[in-house]
Amino acid sequence: MAIFKRDPWILNVYRTYSGSRHLYIRGRALEDQPLKHYEQQTIYQTLRNTWRTFKTDEIRNALVVLKLPNGHTYETRADHEGYFLFDIAIENDLRSLTDDEGYLPLSVEFDEDNAAFAKAKKQKRITNNSFKGETLIPPSSGKYGVISDIDDTIMHTGVTSFLKIRVAFNTFFKNYDRRLPLKGAANLYQLLHKGASGKDQNPMFYLSNSPWNLYKYLEKFLDFHGFPKGPILLRDFPTPWDRTPKLKRPHKAHELLNILKHYPFMKFILIGDSGEHDVDYYKDVAEQYPDRIMAIYLRSVNHEKKMARVKSIADSFKICPMLLVQESTEALDHARGMGWIV
């Protein structure tokens, strides 16, 4: 009977960032079972979760309704891969609706006034039509923001390994509680989040080229290892038959600029690694916004050719401090010396 059982309709809501008068909410409509991530899974359970993570059936063109705590509602339509985006200017200030950390609670649901919903309801594929989420509206106490890469910046991933074999092994065979963070990274990020006063609540943003399928996995990793809470910004992996409009610039560069445009009066610290293209993205952003980038920290990777290139760029870069660091303590000492952390 399980073979013929229909998967329920669900809405995954990703933790994103918004402004006091602007909503930027992402998610995906899927025919899928919610994933169950927990500690000390067996290899079989990890492989099963990984299979279910990537074997997704999207709900194309679904009508999605966003509801805010003040009763206001907004509607959008998912694309042909089930992804939906609310990118809306708001008249009223949303800060009064946020919690102490600056997070605005929200819910999304399928629009009930259409034939597709009625059919799914009849098939018993919708037993719950309210899916919770949240978006960050940085509190006024924040003095600066931190935008960080994930792979080989806070999590050992192996993006520079031959044919990225280590990336595949770590993704498919290791549960989130068995993945290793880089030494001292969580402590550095907590100090940056707390800032010079110890209670600034500086906003944290996590960037990765990983697919949205890994969102829950990465969220669990960050929570388990004690990293401060923040939006996790991933991307849709294109396929040869993908008809989704392509971004004018790479995913990370797009999100970097979008964050800076969302918060035009905020300065930022950028953290990445020297293995991929972080140095290029960060350098370009600093050149476009020279007064808003406080520092760039790049973790050294075990790749001689790439390290030589990044070192050459760092040595000649004058807009802001660009440091190549082996350990988190080097970035910590620099930030403390600048008076950015206690």
Side-chain angles (χ1 to χ4, degrees):
M1 292 300 295
I3 295 175
F4 300 101
K5 185 179 179 181
R6 295 178 181 270
D7 289 334
W9 281 20
I10 63 172
L11 291 170
N12 284 341
V13 190
Y14 307 128
R15 187 191 302 148
T16 54
Y17 55 92
S18 295
S20 60
R21 296 181 183 272
H22 186 258
L23 287 173
Y24 188 71
I25 313 296
R26 287 186 175 275
R28 195 178 189 190
L30 295 170
E31 298 179 12
D32 209 351
Q33 294 281 354
L35 292 172
K36 296 180 179 179
H37 287 284
Y38 50 89
E39 299 171 29
Q40 298 181 340
Q41 291 182 157
T42 64
I43 291 292
Y44 167 74
Q45 290 168 326
T46 299
L47 287 173
R48 182 185 61 184
N49 250 6
T50 302
W51 167 256
R52 291 174 64 185
T53 293
F54 287 95
K55 184 187 176 299
T56 55
D57 296 315
E58 66 277 357
I59 302 173
R60 300 183 176 187
N61 305 315
L63 286 170
V64 182
V65 178
L66 168 67
K67 291 187 174 182
L68 299 184
N70 59 7
H72 291 182
T73 63
Y74 308 90
E75 187 174 286
T76 193
R77 186 181 291 275
D79 64 18
H80 72 285
E81 291 191 56
Y83 291 104
F84 61 86
L85 169 66
F86 291 91
D87 192 354
I88 308 167
I90 304 296
E91 292 184 3
N92 300 322
D93 194 327
L94 297 171
R95 288 189 190 277
S96 61
L97 304 176
T98 62
D99 62 17
D100 293 340
E101 296 180 284
Y103 284 92
L104 171 68
L106 55 93
S107 66
V108 294
E109 61 185 46
F110 292 101
D111 183 4
E112 299 183 6
D113 297 326
N114 65 84
F117 180 89
K119 182 178 179 180
K121 187 82 170 178
K122 185 176 181 180
Q123 294 172 343
K124 298 183 178 179
R125 304 180 75 173
I126 297 178
T127 56
N128 166 49
N129 193 28
S130 181
F131 303 88
K132 305 300 182 185
E134 59 186 357
T135 186
L136 174 65
I137 301 175
S140 56
S141 61
K143 301 300 186 295
Y144 57 83
V146 178
I147 303 175
S148 173
D149 178 42
I150 294 178
D151 305 315
D152 285 333
T153 299
I154 61 177
M155 171 196 283
H156 285 286
T157 305
V159 292
T160 61
S161 62
F162 180 67
L163 297 178
K164 299 190 185 298
I165 292 174
R166 282 181 58 199
V167 176
F169 178 83
N170 288 331
T171 300
F172 288 100
F173 295 97
K174 283 190 175 183
N175 194 35
Y176 69 88
D177 60 331
R178 297 177 184 270
R179 298 293 295 273
L180 295 176
L182 273 76
K183 183 179 178 181
N187 179 55
L188 169 64
Y189 284 52
Q190 287 288 358
L191 289 172
L192 290 170
H193 175 57
K194 295 174 182 176
S197 73
K199 51 184 179 182
D200 288 350
Q201 298 191 93
N202 296 318
M204 314 293 291
F205 305 86
Y206 300 99
L207 285 178
S208 174
N209 275 327
S210 296
W212 283 112
N213 306 64
L214 291 176
Y215 173 85
K216 184 58 68 176
Y217 181 95
L218 294 174
E219 182 183 50
K220 288 286 188 180
F221 171 87
L222 293 170
D223 291 345
F224 180 79
H225 290 288
F227 287 88
K229 184 177 177 181
I232 302 171
L233 310 168
L234 310 181
R235 65 169 178 150
D236 175 25
F237 262 13
T239 60
W241 51 88
D242 190 355
R243 302 190 307 273
T244 304
K246 301 298 185 290
L247 295 173
K248 294 181 180 179
R249 54 179 67 90
H251 159 67
K252 284 187 179 179
H254 171 80
E255 290 293 353
L256 276 168
L257 291 172
N258 204 38
I259 292 170
L260 265 69
K261 290 176 181 177
H262 258 78
Y263 312 112
F265 303 107
M266 182 176 289
K267 295 186 177 183
F268 291 88
I269 295 172
L270 309 180
I271 308 178
D273 66 82
S274 54
E276 291 289 292
H277 302 289
D278 290 350
V279 64
D280 300 302
Y281 301 147
Y282 292 174
K283 173 177 172 289
D284 290 346
V285 166
E287 288 173 345
Q288 291 182 61
Y289 299 94
D291 298 327
R292 297 184 57 196
I293 306 303
M294 298 163 59
I296 299 172
Y297 299 140
L298 297 169
R299 289 188 178 275
S300 303
V301 297
N302 188 24
H303 194 291
E304 184 176 346
K305 186 176 180 180
K306 291 183 177 181
M307 280 296 301
R309 174 180 176 270
V310 174
K311 187 177 187 305
S312 174
I313 293 173
D315 288 344
S316 61
F317 196 70
K318 305 300 181 184
I319 294 175
C320 68
M322 182 184 286
L323 276 66
L324 283 174
V325 300
Q326 293 281 351
E327 300 285 344
S328 296
T329 51
E330 297 172 54
L332 188 152
D333 289 342
H334 180 267
R336 182 169 286 139
M338 298 297 291
W340 299 335
I341 61 175
V342 291

